[in-house]
Amino acid sequence: MESGWSWDQKSLIGELIQGMELTKQLRTELSSASGEESRGSLVQGILSSYEKALLILKWNGPTNQLQMVEATPGLPGSPISVNGSPSSDDSGRVLKDPQDSRKESKKRKTQPRWTEQVKVNSETGFEGPHEDGYSWRKYGQKDILGATYPRSYYRCTFRNTQNCWAVKQVQRSDEDPSVFEITYRGKHTCSQGNYLAQTCHSPDKQEQKETDRDPHELQPLQENLFGNQTIQNIEKLENKASTFCFGSSSTSVGCKDIVNAGFSNLAIDTHSALGSFTRSFTSPTSPDKNYFTPSPCQRSNVGGTHSVQNLDPDVHEIFSANTSATNSPILDWDFPFDSEQINPNFPFNSQGFFY
DNA sequence: TAAATTTGACCAGT
DNA sequence: ACTGGTCAAATTTA
């Protein structure tokens, strides 16, 4: 199992384990002191978080092709605090005029950034979507010097409504056209990010969250994945697939009919963990001039798989590929905590903890 | 009709 | 001057 782990990953796990052990020691000491239930709960929250982190890492496994391009947890340039609130760069961002907006956009270069290489199925010709569970809106496309394929730029759909400034870039690899390099920048501070962070690796909480969710944001997962609408969409897509190949398009939010509002990977992770499968697809707008944007609804990295090739052939018919879990924020946390972040009242089990 | 995408223009960094 | 990243009006889609 460990053979495929990078040094950074091993190191991270080691640190997490150490932190957990230290916290346990602290808990022991605290328990000997009088009272202080709040401390106890705090420590428990810390432990719980460590355990979740380890679980996430184990689930992502060594075959995840995620690469940390600019892993900056804790660095000055990393603006995301552990409680998930937007950093000073982003918080309260109100774009009063275009100049301010552009200044902010440049500052975003200092945000944590990481790249995933998503391999898609080359057998079907229908290279399908890349869906990482978040809902993205394309805001630009550029031809990149020396690159065969253009780069597409996406921002979180909820930028305006929830002040979420996560963005991603998608570029098809020149070397291996079946590989899409997806660079994420910033973290999701929107509800979908919180939702995914809290639940995607905590199946026991999923049911509860489903009852809490906004019906407009998250439809019942089963309905999304296997409901009538899904089947209809699959049929539509299959009809389009014959004319759909690289160089054609899908949308980055193309999976939303099945996952709606980008919560697919929640279910997918859960299903994958259980050894079941999901189908993913795109709903391309498909003007010819568009370029394909990979959107793997499937994140099959659980158990060490990553690309669609590892799926059951029956699942191949549309496509799927995966990305790392929850937009890979787990490798980008701002550790260690500082004194402010460890607030006795901080809800470690709350939605914001992972972001 | 609202939301999403396209695409030319603008801007900052190099 | 060139390039990458973003904006925003126009267009398309659902």
Side-chain angles (χ1 to χ4, degrees):
Chain A
M1 163 187 169
E2 294 291 314
S3 61
W5 291 94
S6 70
W7 186 89
D8 284 345
Q9 289 171 320
K10 289 179 180 176
S11 178
L12 175 59
I13 292 175
E15 289 295 326
L16 289 169
I17 292 173
Q18 182 180 7
M20 190 163 68
E21 292 303 318
L22 289 172
T23 307
K24 287 178 179 176
Q25 293 178 22
L26 177 62
R27 179 176 60 181
T28 302
E29 292 199 11
L30 285 173
S31 64
S32 65
S34 60
E36 305 297 349
E37 287 185 9
S38 62
R39 289 186 194 174
S41 62
L42 170 61
V43 172
Q44 192 59 47
I46 296 172
L47 281 171
S48 175
S49 298
Y50 277 125
E51 289 167 355
K52 287 178 182 178
L54 287 168
L55 182 63
I56 291 168
L57 285 169
K58 288 174 182 175
W59 278 20
N60 278 329
T63 61
N64 194 331
Q65 297 180 47
L66 179 145
Q67 296 179 329
M68 294 300 291
V69 169
E70 190 176 310
T72 57
L75 292 179
S78 180
I80 308 298
S81 61
V82 71
N83 65 2
S85 62
S87 69
S88 57
D89 277 355
D90 286 340
S91 62
R93 184 195 295 260
V94 176
L95 303 182
K96 295 175 181 177
D97 61 54
Q99 285 300 319
D100 287 346
S101 155
R102 291 184 187 278
K103 287 177 184 175
E104 293 294 334
S105 70
K106 294 300 179 183
K107 282 185 179 180
R108 222 170 297 139
K109 286 183 177 179
T110 64
Q111 288 195 340
R113 186 181 66 183
W114 59 95
T115 296
E116 296 178 18
Q117 291 184 341
V118 178
K119 188 173 181 66
V120 298
N121 183 17
S122 58
E123 294 176 1
T124 62
F126 178 71
E127 301 301 337
H130 169 95
E131 181 52 68
D132 47 28
Y134 295 93
S135 185
W136 301 98
R137 177 175 294 184
K138 188 174 184 177
Y139 66 85
Q141 178 173 300
K142 286 285 279 189
D143 289 323
I144 301 303
L145 194 69
T148 305
Y149 306 99
R151 179 178 298 167
S152 296
Y153 299 87
Y154 297 85
R155 62 173 173 80
C156 179
T157 300
F158 304 107
R159 168 177 283 192
N160 295 327
T161 58
Q162 298 181 29
N163 200 34
C164 179
W165 289 85
V167 297
K168 75 172 180 180
Q169 301 172 2
V170 177
Q171 183 156 25
R172 188 179 173 188
S173 172
D174 289 339
E175 296 177 356
D176 185 353
S178 67
V179 172
F180 286 81
E181 295 178 358
I182 304 172
T183 300
Y184 293 93
R185 192 178 301 161
K187 293 175 183 156
H188 285 271
T189 57
C190 57
S191 60
Q192 60 176 346
N194 292 333
Y195 185 93
L196 289 167
Q198 183 178 31
T199 62
C200 70
H201 298 293
S202 300
D204 54 316
K205 291 184 178 180
Q206 179 177 327
E207 188 174 354
Q208 177 186 346
K209 285 300 296 183
E210 284 185 35
T211 62
D212 293 339
R213 68 174 178 264
D214 181 347
H216 295 291
E217 287 186 332
L218 180 63
Q219 294 175 354
L221 294 166
Q222 295 302 320
E223 181 178 324
N224 280 331
L225 290 168
F226 304 109
N228 290 336
Q229 186 179 5
T230 295
I231 300 301
Q232 290 171 2
N233 284 328
I234 290 173
E235 289 172 350
K236 286 182 186 176
L237 289 161
E238 287 176 340
N239 288 336
K240 291 184 178 181
S242 60
T243 57
F244 194 79
C245 59
F246 279 124
S248 295
S249 74
S250 73
T251 68
S252 65
V253 293
C255 290
K256 73 176 183 179
D257 287 331
I258 192 172
V259 303
N260 202 350
F263 292 93
S264 63
N265 53 347
L266 166 63
I268 286 161
D269 277 349
T270 303
H271 283 264
S272 298
L274 295 173
S276 62
F277 67 90
T278 60
R279 300 162 102 190
S280 60
F281 67 95
T282 181
S283 55
T285 54
S286 66
D288 290 340
K289 57 189 172 184
N290 290 346
Y291 287 86
F292 167 70
T293 297
S295 300
C297 293
Q298 172 96 21
R299 298 190 305 154
S300 55
N301 50 349
V302 175
T305 62
H306 179 87
S307 67
V308 66
Q309 283 84 349
N310 292 319
L311 297 173
D312 185 301
D314 291 339
V315 192
H316 265 184
E317 74 182 83
I318 296 297
F319 152 89
S320 74
N322 78 310
T323 67
S324 70
T326 63
N327 203 5
S328 309
I330 58 170
L331 295 177
D332 203 24
W333 289 338
D334 288 344
F335 285 104
F337 304 113
D338 59 30
S339 57
E340 291 182 356
Q341 288 167 333
I342 303 181
N343 182 324
N345 297 321
F346 182 81
F348 278 88
N349 289 324
S350 72
Q351 291 183 349
F353 176 58
F354 284 98
Y355 290 87

